[in-house]
Amino acid sequence: MTLLPLVFVFPLLGAVLLAFIRQMPRPLAATVGVGSIGLAALSALVVGLDFFSNGAQPVTVTLWQWISVGDFTPRFSLYVDGLTLTMMSVITGVGFLIHLFASWYMTEDLKDTSGYLYTRFFAYMNLFVFSMLLLVLADNLMLLYLGWEGVGLCSYLLIGYYYRGLDNAKAAFKAFIVTRVGDVFLAIGMFILFAKFQTLDIQTLLQQAPKAWAQGDLMAEVAALMLLGGAVGKSAQLPLQTWLADAMAGPTPVSALIHAATMVTAGVYLIARTHVIFELAPMTLELVGIIGAATLLIAGFSALAQTDIKRVLAYSTMSQIGYMFLALGVQAWDAAIFHLMIHAFFKALLFLTSGSVIIACHHEQDMFKMGGLRKPLKLAYACFWVGGAALAALPIVTAGFYSKDEILWLSFASGHEVLWFFGLIGAFLTSLYTFRMIFITFHGEANTEAHAPKGLAHHVPLVTLLVLSTFVGALIHPPLEGVLPASPEGDSESLKLIFEVLSSVVAIVGLGIAAALFLGRRRLVKALVKTDLGRNGWRFFNSAFAFDWLYDWLIVKPFLAIAWLHRVDWINALVNIWPWLAKQAHRGLSVTQTGRIRWYAGSITAGATLMLVLLVLG
């Protein structure tokens, strides 16, 4: 395990070099940016081989004593087991392919700008990978939190990469603020755990928690709930999901890195890593599954009403992470991590291919302004079909079939029939919106000219991810035995087969309905959109169930009102009441000064009469 530190040191060195040598020529910047992640991937491979040669036993590598304040002495230590190795392989392997593709994409995207922007991009990307690796390698929650916040910082820098556009800057700020809300909950959870156990070492916590807390203990529930708060923020689950779609403001390789290999998987990893605490909190664990099921449905309906090709994929990510949360909630731990890995393959493929399409269509992202691209963009068409089929979990030939159907079956086998039913509806929606996207983009009349991209840096990542998105990717099984509890297997293999057939039929039906609605002239869809129900439904789904509007009224506007009240100098305002009253009295009296004698005579007469009345009555 002597090479273990190199796994995250190489990306860090790459980021430092790129940050300090800002005017680096583009070929050299690409070599440093891509090469550092490639070296990290090779180091991860060597670490994996070493891990299995030593019997797949967990290993802790302590680099130095990090902090020492009284009883608080967290170390800068790295921990490797099957879960860490899986995450590390996904981050470096898929991350390398994304970086390689980005070396082509950013050259096309930044043709008319300085090399500094190209260098800055790879500095941020390398720092992103470093932070995520630190997060999954950490053997204590304090070090994990450092990587956790590093991922948040890098997401802000990369989502707002085109910072001169106000909308892009707002999207970055929104992602930063919303995920910080979750981070506060995670920090509170860490405080609770440290106050109880006087340590943040993860393995020590997992050993001591069952001895200190009985299942259902209130403090166990609260601690798990706080950890869940951090997880839903990072993984864009209800109620902190609103940032993810706007994160599409960044370059497309950034979207691929966030959605496939790094940030949004952090919440899933956190719950899986601290699974013992969640097992002691059955109510919170049940809530994990409910949140996942609700999110996958909301995201599925929202994806049906998007016109931007990247936003469709963004909502699909939200939905697929929902499946992972559902799996965690029903204690199908292995299935959740298996789907995390498979999802990284096909979602990276879909995002990178969407970037290829966007460049080919001269930076157009609206699917309805594309159309007919299957002939000029044959590779992209094939990649979208394979990646889309894996996303929709079409049977036998796609990797997604093996991971998603495992989640659905285990949710039913564990006695969560309602969650299974929601997951099945989500599978239908996934197939429907996925093939809607493919048919609108690649079929029908061509609305724009497109040129087929070229180059190894473009082709190699796409072809590699295409292969991994087929059943070939499903042959790779995460080494989780002994790391996570066994999943609740059902009693009947024949019943399992029936449920797999049922979910396959649902996916195929979704494909068929998508073909009927979005191939050809789309008369039925056009007629539906013209109705009041269709228009209003489309607006509601397009706004992702109006959560932004809801939060604006419940949180943003009241906060701004409080901020406005806070700006007012109340002492000065009270003192100024008397001058204000004097001014108002002066304005009132000045109205009586008209210069008309009859007005004055009438006023004197009225005043005298009033005085006489008062004297008589008195």
Side-chain angles (χ1 to χ4, degrees):
M1 289 291 171
T2 55
L3 293 182
L4 181 59
L6 296 180
V7 174
F8 70 85
V9 166
F10 280 128
L12 180 60
L13 285 176
V16 171
L17 282 173
L18 291 162
F20 280 95
I21 310 177
R22 295 185 296 177
Q23 295 299 332
M24 193 180 293
R26 284 189 182 183
L28 182 57
T31 301
V32 173
V34 179
S36 59
I37 306 302
L39 291 173
L42 286 175
S43 301
L45 177 61
V46 173
V47 168
L49 294 173
D50 190 22
F51 175 77
F52 287 115
S53 66
N54 290 314
Q57 295 300 310
V59 177
T60 300
V61 177
T62 300
L63 300 182
W64 62 80
Q65 181 65 47
W66 186 23
I67 299 172
S68 182
V69 181
D71 295 332
F72 184 55
T73 57
R75 302 163 301 173
F76 202 103
S77 297
L78 312 177
Y79 180 81
V80 177
D81 61 5
L83 177 58
T84 306
L85 189 64
T86 301
M87 297 297 297
M88 186 170 59
S89 301
V90 168
I91 295 164
T92 57
V94 177
F96 168 71
L97 295 173
I98 293 171
H99 274 70
L100 180 60
F101 183 88
S103 67
W104 168 83
Y105 182 92
M106 296 308 291
T107 300
E108 297 293 317
D109 197 50
L110 299 173
K111 282 182 176 178
D112 301 323
T113 56
S114 67
Y116 166 63
L117 290 180
Y118 191 84
T119 305
R120 178 163 63 87
F121 172 81
F122 278 106
Y124 292 165
M125 291 278 280
N126 278 28
L127 190 61
F128 205 152
V129 172
F130 159 75
S131 299
M132 190 64 190
L133 286 169
L134 190 63
L135 190 159
V136 300
L137 284 168
D139 88 323
N140 63 81
L141 289 176
M142 187 68 180
L143 189 57
L144 181 149
Y145 196 75
L146 177 62
W148 190 274
E149 292 303 309
V151 168
L153 170 63
C154 293
S155 68
Y156 169 77
L157 295 172
L158 286 166
I159 293 169
Y161 181 75
Y162 303 121
Y163 60 88
R164 295 185 185 278
L166 181 60
D167 289 341
N168 300 334
K170 286 182 176 179
F173 195 65
K174 180 180 180 181
F176 190 78
I177 293 298
V178 173
T179 54
R180 290 295 75 68
V181 173
D183 296 354
V184 171
F185 287 115
L186 175 57
I188 294 172
M190 291 167 56
F191 294 152
I192 292 172
L193 292 171
F194 182 76
K196 179 66 177 179
F197 301 104
Q198 300 301 305
T199 183
L200 290 177
D201 181 84
I202 295 173
Q203 298 308 311
T204 304
L205 288 172
L206 299 186
Q207 293 169 8
Q208 293 184 3
K211 300 175 183 177
W213 288 330
Q215 191 175 49
D217 188 289
L218 177 60
M219 289 309 298
E221 294 282 1
V222 173
L225 191 62
M226 294 300 103
L227 296 179
L228 175 59
V232 297
K234 270 293 187 284
S235 292
Q237 299 293 286
L238 281 169
L240 300 178
Q241 82 287 4
T242 57
W243 66 270
L244 191 64
D246 291 337
M248 297 303 97
T252 303
V254 172
S255 304
L257 195 62
I258 290 176
H259 289 245
T262 57
M263 186 168 174
V264 296
T265 61
V268 178
Y269 170 77
L270 176 67
I271 296 175
R273 176 56 75 196
T274 58
H275 64 274
V276 172
I277 296 172
F278 282 87
E279 287 178 313
L280 295 171
M283 291 177 62
T284 303
L285 191 58
E286 196 76 19
L287 181 60
V288 173
I290 293 170
I291 287 174
T295 305
L296 70 89
L297 285 179
I298 289 173
F301 281 112
S302 301
L304 278 173
Q306 304 304 312
T307 58
D308 186 317
I309 191 171
K310 287 175 65 176
R311 289 181 76 89
V312 175
L313 296 176
Y315 283 112
S316 80
T317 296
M318 196 185 299
S319 180
Q320 297 308 301
I321 299 294
Y323 274 104
M324 297 173 208
F325 268 64
L326 190 156
L328 295 170
V330 302
Q331 301 187 55
W333 310 100
D334 290 10
I337 301 303
F338 185 40
H339 192 55
L340 184 154
M341 181 191 73
I342 297 299
H343 175 261
F345 298 154
F346 66 71
K347 188 50 59 69
L349 174 64
L350 288 170
F351 264 115
L352 295 186
T353 308
S354 73
S356 176
V357 171
I358 290 167
I359 293 295
C361 295
H362 316 288
H363 296 86
E364 181 58 66
Q365 294 184 202
D366 189 335
M367 297 184 297
F368 288 90
K369 295 181 180 178
M370 297 177 183
L373 297 180
R374 67 186 185 279
K375 292 181 180 179
L377 303 181
K378 292 182 175 60
L379 176 60
Y381 184 53
C383 289
F384 255 94
W385 260 102
V386 173
L391 173 59
L394 292 187
I396 309 301
V397 295
T398 69
F401 166 76
Y402 298 94
S403 59
K404 186 187 289 185
D405 278 23
E406 186 74 6
I407 292 173
L408 291 173
W409 161 243
L410 291 176
S411 63
F412 185 87
S414 62
H416 295 81
E417 292 85 357
V418 175
L419 296 183
W420 164 80
F421 182 68
F422 286 164
L424 195 66
I425 296 173
F428 169 74
L429 292 173
T430 302
S431 182
L432 186 58
Y433 71 66
T434 298
F435 291 105
R436 166 187 178 266
M437 172 181 62
I438 292 173
F439 293 144
I440 291 173
T441 303
F442 292 96
H443 292 261
E445 294 182 3
N447 295 315
T448 183
E449 291 185 7
H451 60 279
K454 298 178 181 179
L456 286 176
H458 172 270
H459 289 359
V460 170
L462 296 185
V463 173
T464 303
L465 290 167
L466 183 149
V467 173
L468 291 173
S469 297
T470 65
F471 68 92
V472 174
L475 299 176
I476 306 170
H477 285 279
L480 301 175
E481 185 176 354
V483 179
L484 296 173
S487 299
E489 293 289 345
D491 298 329
S492 172
E493 286 296 324
S494 59
L495 186 62
K496 179 180 179 181
L497 180 61
I498 291 172
F499 274 82
E500 288 178 346
V501 171
L502 176 61
S503 59
S504 300
V505 169
V506 166
I508 293 171
V509 168
L511 190 161
I513 294 176
L517 292 176
F518 299 105
L519 283 177
R521 297 182 180 273
R522 306 167 191 161
R523 290 192 181 96
L524 182 59
V525 174
K526 291 176 181 178
L528 181 62
V529 171
K530 291 179 180 179
T531 65
D532 289 339
L533 179 63
R535 279 195 300 270
N536 293 332
W538 185 88
R539 289 194 191 101
F540 185 61
F541 292 150
N542 180 259
S543 67
F545 287 62
F547 271 93
D548 280 323
W549 175 86
L550 179 64
Y551 291 163
D552 189 49
W553 277 97
L554 291 180
I555 300 172
V556 177
K557 291 187 184 303
F559 179 82
L560 292 177
I562 293 170
W564 179 83
L565 291 173
H566 181 70
R567 284 205 310 268
V568 176
D569 186 345
W570 291 105
I571 295 176
N572 197 43
L574 288 172
V575 171
N576 286 334
I577 285 177
W578 305 111
W580 180 82
L581 289 173
K583 286 181 181 179
Q584 299 310 311
H586 169 72
R587 287 174 182 170
L589 290 172
S590 66
V591 174
T592 66
Q593 304 303 310
T594 62
R596 296 177 180 176
I597 295 175
R598 274 185 271 181
W599 168 259
Y600 295 152
S603 299
I604 292 169
T605 301
T609 303
L610 179 61
M611 292 298 292
L612 287 172
V613 171
L614 291 174
L615 287 171
V616 171
L617 293 177

